[in-house]
Amino acid sequence: MAAEIIASSPELGIGLGQLLENGRNASSMPMIFMAILLVLERLAAEGVRDVVALPLLLTRAFHAKADIPAALRQAPAGLRIRTAAVLGPSPLLIAALEQRLYEAGLDPADKSSTGVVLASAGSSDPEAIAVIADIAREWRHTGWCAVRPAFASASLPRTEDAVRALRAEPGVRKVAVAPYVLAPGFLPDRIARGAAGADVLAEVLGAAPPVARLLMRRYDEAHLSGTGRTAPLARIPALA
């Protein structure tokens, strides 16, 4: 992802916070805090004063509302930090999902007869769950036969349940699973296992070009909300 950003905007400095990819738990949180603080301390030592933090999160759930803000509040004195909005929802993420489905072998000509499982990591946050349901509903209106949300943790239905439900829907001839996650890990592996009964399983979103463009859009939005010189980019990968 950093390579995609540097290629499109080489004038930006990239601070890489190497965080865990899997679900939040008591043992991982100190590591998350430490990773973020190490990046911020390094930027401060290099003379950076203005930072835009880009949370690599698809929904505004606990990590966006609590974890990352708590870590950023521990930043070294003198750093001015603006935090960008989470990535989703966005038409660019829909474009990335469809790109991954077609790369996995789904024929665009079969779109109207294909049911899609929008498989997210899951959350206990009602706002995040509602957003996933809204995305599935809106995505269906772009020409798919059906789109159902599914969750790898915390919420139901699971991926395998959504696959079975789509098999029973009138007009569905193929079932595809589109992981709505950014990186490989424990929960994406669970999604993959749940997709065993599907015809097509897409890869995670990863560094798909639409995702990189969306990151830069979120950066621009955050930067333009403040004043001063162009801020170096602090990329803070969060749990997704």
Side-chain angles (χ1 to χ4, degrees):
M1 186 69 71
E4 291 279 348
I5 297 171
I6 293 170
S8 62
S9 300
E11 74 278 6
L12 294 176
I14 308 292
L16 296 177
Q18 191 63 45
L19 304 188
L20 299 177
E21 296 172 343
N22 298 325
R24 182 177 65 90
N25 55 59
S27 64
S28 70
M29 285 312 302
M31 297 174 68
I32 295 167
F33 270 67
M34 183 177 296
I36 293 175
L37 290 175
L38 285 173
V39 171
L40 294 174
E41 288 169 0
R42 191 184 78 195
L43 291 171
E46 292 172 355
V48 170
R49 290 295 173 263
D50 294 285
V51 172
V52 173
L54 286 174
L56 294 191
L57 295 168
L58 297 175
T59 59
R60 191 172 174 274
F62 191 83
H63 294 308
K65 294 176 180 179
D67 291 341
I68 291 177
L72 294 178
R73 285 194 293 270
Q74 304 301 315
L79 276 184
R80 293 182 294 268
I81 301 176
R82 292 191 292 275
T83 305
V86 298
L87 299 180
S90 169
L92 285 170
L93 291 175
I94 297 299
L97 286 166
E98 296 198 351
Q99 176 181 327
R100 292 301 190 223
L101 284 171
Y102 298 143
E103 289 171 350
L106 187 66
D107 188 338
D110 293 334
K111 188 173 184 178
S112 63
S113 61
T114 298
V116 179
V117 178
L118 179 66
S120 76
S123 174
S124 59
D125 188 305
E127 178 186 344
I129 297 303
V131 166
I132 298 299
D134 288 343
I135 293 170
R137 186 163 45 249
E138 293 299 319
W139 196 16
R140 180 173 189 167
H141 295 156
T142 66
W144 298 99
C145 185
V147 179
R148 285 180 174 262
F151 308 95
S153 68
S155 305
L156 296 174
R158 295 287 187 256
T159 301
E160 53 268 35
D161 300 325
V163 169
R164 282 193 294 268
L166 286 171
R167 289 288 186 202
E169 286 216 18
V172 172
R173 297 194 186 96
K174 288 186 177 180
V175 174
V177 174
Y180 192 60
V181 293
L182 287 169
F186 177 76
L187 294 178
D189 287 347
R190 181 179 289 177
I191 290 171
R193 291 193 296 272
D199 301 296
V200 175
L201 171 62
E203 293 292 332
V204 299
L205 295 172
V211 178
R213 290 198 298 274
L214 179 56
L215 274 169
M216 292 311 305
R217 179 176 296 178
R218 294 289 185 253
Y219 165 79
D220 288 338
E221 292 166 353
H223 172 58
L224 291 175
S225 70
T227 58
R229 64 180 178 82
T230 301
L233 178 67
R235 172 184 176 261
I236 301 182
L239 313 184

